Amino acid sequence: DTEVTQTPKHLVMGMTNKKSLKCEQHMGHRAMYWYKQKAKKPPELMFVYSYEKLSINESVPSRFSPECPNSSLLNLHLHALQPEDSALYLCASSQDRGVDYEQFFGPGTRLTVL
Amino acid sequence: AQSVAQPEDQVNVAEGNPLTVKCTYSVSGNPYLFWYVQYPNRGLQFLLKYITGDNLVKGSYGFEAEFNKSQTSFHLKKPSALVSDSALYFCAVRGSTLGRLYFGRGTQLTVWP
């Protein structure tokens, strides 16, 4: 299995809602990533988990809360988001954080905040 | 600091013609370079990488890239373009902080039939 899956594919939420994005991989990868991508722009790194521990937080607002329950799962909990948070949220994984390991991306969750 | 530049926002090419998508890099230390492709409403797909070794790297879907140290370039190439190659292409370089990828701004490739 060489796939990263993400659910849901689409999400519409109000600014007072609480929702979660889910990411799963079964490639035995030990590094997992969350990115935010605006249309026609490169992905922006949000968080990196390595061996289930948070290793990078790119000064992301606290309304985004990541969680890594086990080595295969990565969640992103959302609360009190703003309309400018509307974007494609991409999850990725790699064998490790080493420089020569490519990242495998999921299809993304298209988030719209009303 | 690590960075990559993609000088062209848009590349247009006729089907069957060769294509080149340009990327230049700036790194301290050894460069670890990657190309990704993104189709509409999809995630990024890995195409190829340069870590060390041969300057000509072969990847998925008939793509290849040429690493040129003197020109600090890593251009993506394909001998014969297909309409289905039309997509957004990102060059990326590994940062010194483990786990970090620095992406170029992206190049939209359009292949005309």
Side-chain angles (χ1 to χ4, degrees):
Chain A
D1 187 356
T2 58
E3 192 178 21
V4 177
T5 59
Q6 290 188 244
T7 54
K9 291 185 178 178
H10 301 274
L11 179 62
V12 179
M13 60 186 291
M15 289 190 284
T16 59
N17 292 156
K18 286 185 180 181
K19 297 287 184 182
S20 297
L21 309 184
K22 179 180 174 181
C23 173
E24 194 165 5
Q25 58 88 12
H26 295 288
M27 295 178 278
H29 289 174
R30 303 316 300 264
M32 296 187 76
Y33 312 77
W34 280 116
Y35 289 88
K36 173 183 178 181
Q37 186 183 27
K38 293 282 197 177
K40 302 292 188 181
K41 299 293 186 183
E44 301 170 22
L45 183 65
M46 299 175 72
F47 303 104
V48 180
Y49 273 83
S50 177
Y51 291 83
E52 301 161 46
K53 293 189 186 304
L54 184 64
S55 60
I56 297 177
N57 177 340
E58 286 291 275
S59 301
V60 178
S62 60
R63 57 185 184 268
F64 295 92
S65 176
E67 178 195 21
C68 189
N70 59 57
S71 60
S72 300
L73 279 175
L74 188 65
N75 298 320
L76 186 62
H77 303 297
L78 314 173
H79 173 56
L81 294 192
Q82 303 296 310
E84 59 265 30
D85 296 322
S86 298
L88 181 67
Y89 288 83
L90 294 166
C91 174
S93 70
S94 63
Q95 186 169 342
D96 203 331
R97 292 190 301 154
V99 292
D100 56 342
Y101 295 124
E102 62 269 29
Q103 295 181 17
F104 292 84
F105 285 79
T109 294
R110 176 75 59 189
L111 175 66
T112 302
V113 182
L114 300 176
Chain B
Q2 321 289 71
S3 67
V4 291
Q6 294 180 243
E8 300 159 319
D9 287 336
Q10 179 87 34
V11 169
N12 299 311
V13 64
E15 187 174 32
N17 283 359
L19 69 87
T20 298
V21 183
K22 296 180 180 178
C23 173
T24 59
Y25 65 89
S26 174
V27 301
S28 53
N30 294 323
Y32 301 96
L33 298 158
F34 301 80
W35 274 104
Y36 287 87
V37 60
Q38 186 174 30
Y39 296 96
N41 300 311
R42 300 286 296 276
L44 277 68
Q45 294 181 30
F46 168 73
L47 282 178
L48 49 79
K49 65 182 177 183
Y50 174 82
I51 304 301
T52 187
D54 289 342
N55 290 340
L56 186 64
V57 179
K58 294 192 181 295
S60 306
Y61 314 119
F63 284 94
E64 57 189 28
E66 186 171 8
F67 173 73
N68 188 315
K69 188 173 183 178
S70 62
Q71 297 186 4
T72 61
S73 66
F74 188 56
H75 300 331
L76 182 70
K77 299 182 179 184
K78 189 173 183 182
S80 179
L82 299 173
V83 172
S84 56
D85 293 330
S86 299
L88 186 58
Y89 290 80
F90 290 103
C91 182
V93 64
R94 274 287 196 180
S96 53
T97 301
L98 292 179
R100 186 183 300 283
L101 264 182
Y102 293 93
F103 287 92
R105 64 181 181 178
T107 299
Q108 181 66 48
L109 172 67
T110 301
V111 181
W112 300 97

